[in-house]
Structure formats: C-alpha cells, structure tokens
C-alpha cells in the first residue's frame, strides 16, 4: 500500500522587525520577534511512480484564486527545492514524490507561506526517507540547518511558538510562551510585494533601526502592552511602495484594533485584537468593503507530522 505522510507548519507574524543597514554579504542583519499563528499550510506526500520525479499540486479554498495561481508548481516551488536539498544532504537520489499543498497563508504577503511549506516538507520528507529507505532521522536542529539554506523564515516555521530571529532571521532563539492567547485579523492584498523589492526601498529611504533586547517579551502581560511594543522597520518601505496600506492600518485601528501593522515585508496587514469576537466583527466589515480578511490566533506549534 502506498504510504501517505501528512505534515503542517504555521504562518508567522513579526511582532518586532528591526533591520540594520545592508552588509557586505548582500544581506540585511535583522533582529526579529516571531510569533507562530494557527493558520497552517497542510502538506501531503506519497511516493510517485519510479522516474516521475517530484510533482506538486497546490490548492486552497480560503484564499483568493490569484494567490493559489501565483504559486509555482515546478522546480521553483520551495517544496521542490526542499526535496532536492534534503536528498543531496543524505546522499540519496532525488525521490519520486507526489505532493499536495493545501494553502491557507496569503502568498507573497510577508507571512512566510512558502517557508511554512518548506518547513512542513522537511518533517515530511525526513519521515518518508526514514520509513521508505531506512535513512537516519535528522533532528529538528539539523532540519533547521537545511531550512536556513532554503529561506530565512524556514527555521522559525520549524520551531514555531515565539522566538527571536537574528542574522538574516534564520538564527532562532526560542522564548518562553506568551502568557496569553492573541487574536489576529490578517488583511491580505490582491497584489504581493516581493521581499527583495521592499528591502531595496528600505535602503533607498535610508532609515535603519537600532536593535533592542527582545527577551523581555515573554513577560508581557497584557494585549495592550503587546500592541504598544510592536514595530516594523520595513513598514515605511512597504507604505512607500503601496500607499494604500497605510490607509488600511489607520482604518483597522479606527475600527478597534489594539495595533495594526504591516507584517514583515508586507503587504499583509496584521491587526491585533482584544478578543476573537472583535476580530471577527471587524473582518466582516472589511469583507463587506471588498477587502480580503481572515482571523486567526497565536501562538502555534511549529512543523508537525500529522499522521
Ligand atoms: P516571507 O514572509 O517568508 O518573506 P512571503 O510570505 O512574503 O515570504 P511567499 O508566500 O513565501 O512570500 O512567496 C514568495 C514567492 O515565492 C511567491 O511569489 C512565489 O513565486 C514563490 N514560491 C515558491 N514556492 C512557494 C510556495 N510553496 N508557496 C508560496 N510561494 C512560493
């Protein structure tokens, strides 16, 4: 019988995103506070027929169709790259796999959708190669090393919870869990923003942040305090590229969000609310206005094997 492996991984929001000036290695150093959200990508993996390589099918019923259509299904998909890199690490030939990705995270939205797919794939292929080919199972730390080569957000999507990310965001220091549940509204844009374009605009604007001590966030004891400490150095760059975003932020705060902010490189706006009921009521208002909004909660687990 063909074995089916299911895995999932969370979206992230950057509660704090501090960005330093462009370094000589071509990257910007960051000091980031990640929170994993209960908005999960689900990946299903089965063995393909010999010689068929990696085939990928992407679907989803909660996102606008344009988001699903924007995801490549060939060698450019991060899941495909994950299969190639993982098998290289194990000195194995590239496996024959059929992969189904159930997308829930807005695409090119600053919520780590592709990184979550890669993180789910890492735990799935780790299990698959072990069961099918008897390869030793890699630890979470070893998977995170492979993940960091695939994308800066992949290690955090593996770990989940709340964590500080330094370097390019790929060096993860897990923190104690937040002492409360957080309620979020995510307002996705019809058009994505490319992360390199936003960093380029950040350089043009020339306003680098300073790095603060993020370790104390685990002691935050109210939603109001959490909201007041949220910052994103990339927000001015995202506003400059998409001026309508700043209107959405103001609108959300007028409607009762404790804090609304561009998530990572955007253009998704993440808005923090005191309660689920309030977040859902505001999501209904935005939907009636023709915007795309969904609600979710944090914190969430990192990548899990779901069967
Ligand atoms: P991050 O927050 O990690 O910077 P993002 O959430 O802004 O990333 P993604 O949804 O990961 O952005 O997509 C960025 C681009 O990556 C997409 O435009 C798409 O072309 C490409 N891509 C490759 N693989 C995937 C995937 N599995 N899911 C989504 N996009 C993918």
């Amino acid at each position: 019988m063909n074995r089916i492996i299911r895995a999932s991984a969370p979206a992230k929001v950057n509660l704090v995103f501090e960005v330093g000036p462009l370094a000589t290695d071509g990257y910007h150093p960051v000091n980031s506070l990640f929170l994993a959200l209960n908005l999960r990508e689900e990946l299903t993996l089965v063995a393909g027929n010999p010689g068929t390589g990696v085939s990928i099918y992407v679907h989803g019923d909660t996102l606008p169709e344009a988001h699903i259509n924007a995801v490549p299904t060939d060698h450019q998909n991060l899941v495909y790259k994950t299969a190639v890199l993982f098998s290289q690490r194990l000195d194995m030939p590239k496996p024959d796999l059929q992969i189904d990705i159930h997308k829930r995270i807005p695409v090119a939205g600053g919520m780590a959708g592709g990184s979550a797919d890669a993180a789910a794939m890492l735990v799935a292929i780790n299990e698959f190669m072990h069961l099918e080919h008897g390869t030793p199972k890699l630890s979470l730390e070893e998977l995170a090393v492979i993940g960091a080569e695939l994308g800066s957000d992949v290690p955090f999507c593996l770990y989940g919870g709340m964590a500080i990310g330094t370097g390019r965001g790929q060096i993860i220091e897990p923190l104690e869990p937040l002492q409360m549940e957080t309620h979020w509204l995510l307002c996705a844009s019809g058009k994505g923003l490319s992360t390199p374009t936003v960093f380029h605009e950040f350089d043009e604007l020339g306003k680098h942040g300073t790095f603060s001590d993020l370790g104390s966030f685990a002691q935050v004891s109210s939603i109001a305090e959490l909201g007041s400490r949220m910052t994103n150095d990339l927000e001015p760059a995202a506003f400059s590229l998409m001026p309508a975003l700043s209107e959405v932020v103001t609108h959300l705060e007028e409607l009762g969000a404790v804090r609304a902010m561009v998530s990572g490189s955007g253009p998704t706006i993440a808005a923090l609310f005191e309660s689920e009921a309030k977040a859902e009521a505001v999501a209904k208002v935005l939907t009636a206005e023709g915007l795309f909004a969904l609600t979710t909660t944090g914190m969430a687990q990192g990548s899990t094997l779901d069967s």
Side-chain angles (χ1 to χ4, degrees):
M1 201 183 68
N2 219 346
R3 183 173 276 127
I4 301 177
I5 295 178
R6 294 192 176 84
S8 64
K12 59 87 183 169
V13 63
N14 301 91
L15 297 173
V16 176
F17 202 51
E18 295 170 340
V19 184
L22 186 63
T24 45
D25 64 359
Y27 289 99
H28 294 80
V30 306
N31 186 41
S32 168
L33 186 69
F34 288 110
L35 183 75
L37 301 178
N38 285 302
L39 178 69
R40 298 182 79 81
E41 301 281 77
E42 283 174 3
L43 185 140
T44 307
L45 182 157
V46 296
N49 292 326
T52 52
V54 175
S55 51
I56 295 174
Y57 173 65
V58 181
H59 65 103
D61 46 14
T62 51
L63 288 172
E65 220 170 284
H67 282 243
I68 305 294
N69 295 339
V71 180
T73 53
D74 57 7
H75 64 280
Q76 296 176 72
N77 193 297
L78 262 185
V79 165
Y80 188 105
K81 293 180 184 174
T82 306
V84 171
L85 193 60
F86 186 92
S87 35
Q88 278 172 358
R89 276 309 121 83
L90 265 57
D91 269 334
M92 300 286 288
K94 191 177 75 182
D96 300 305
L97 297 171
Q98 284 180 27
I99 297 155
D100 175 288
I101 302 172
H102 186 159
K103 267 220 160 278
R104 293 208 180 82
I105 304 177
V107 175
M111 309 293 307
S115 302
D117 293 343
M121 181 61 179
L122 280 168
V123 298
I125 195 169
N126 195 25
E127 181 77 4
F128 176 85
M129 296 298 255
H130 176 65
L131 295 175
E132 293 281 321
H133 301 288
T135 58
K137 269 212 213 184
L138 301 191
S139 66
L140 183 62
E141 289 71 25
E142 288 168 324
L143 293 179
V145 172
I146 301 176
E149 279 189 48
L150 293 157
S152 310
D153 291 336
V154 179
F156 175 71
C157 293
L158 279 165
Y159 283 96
M162 184 165 77
I164 298 172
T166 51
R168 285 178 277 123
Q170 87 285 14
I171 303 168
I172 297 301
E173 179 195 334
L175 289 183
E176 290 296 308
L178 261 187
Q179 294 171 24
M180 68 212 120
E181 189 170 31
T182 54
H183 299 280
W184 297 90
L185 179 155
L186 306 177
C187 180
S189 167
K191 276 198 291 179
L193 267 180
S194 122
T195 304
T197 307
V198 178
F199 273 99
H200 180 72
E201 184 68 10
F202 170 81
D203 291 333
E204 293 287 303
L205 297 176
K207 288 186 197 140
H208 320 119
T210 48
F211 288 2
S212 56
D213 174 14
L214 302 176
S216 60
F217 260 83
Q219 278 81 51
V220 165
S221 60
S222 74
I223 294 290
E225 184 187 354
L226 188 66
S228 70
R229 293 186 62 183
M230 284 168 58
T231 56
N232 180 1
D233 286 350
L234 289 185
E235 192 172 66
F239 285 170
S240 163
L241 293 165
M242 265 193 198
L245 291 180
S246 81
E247 289 161 32
V248 178
V249 165
T250 309
H251 189 40
L252 277 161
E253 291 184 346
E254 281 168 359
L255 287 168
V258 174
R259 178 88 165 89
M261 194 172 85
V262 168
S263 174
S265 55
T268 304
I269 308 288
L272 176 65
F273 282 87
E274 288 281 359
S275 70
E276 184 180 355
K278 187 81 194 163
E280 277 178 3
V282 174
K284 277 197 187 130
V285 174
L286 292 201
T287 305
E289 291 172 351
L291 295 168
F292 177 77
L294 54 86
T295 58
T296 185
T297 57
M299 317 188 324
Q301 276 184 293
S303 295
T304 49
L305 265 182
D306 298 333
S307 63

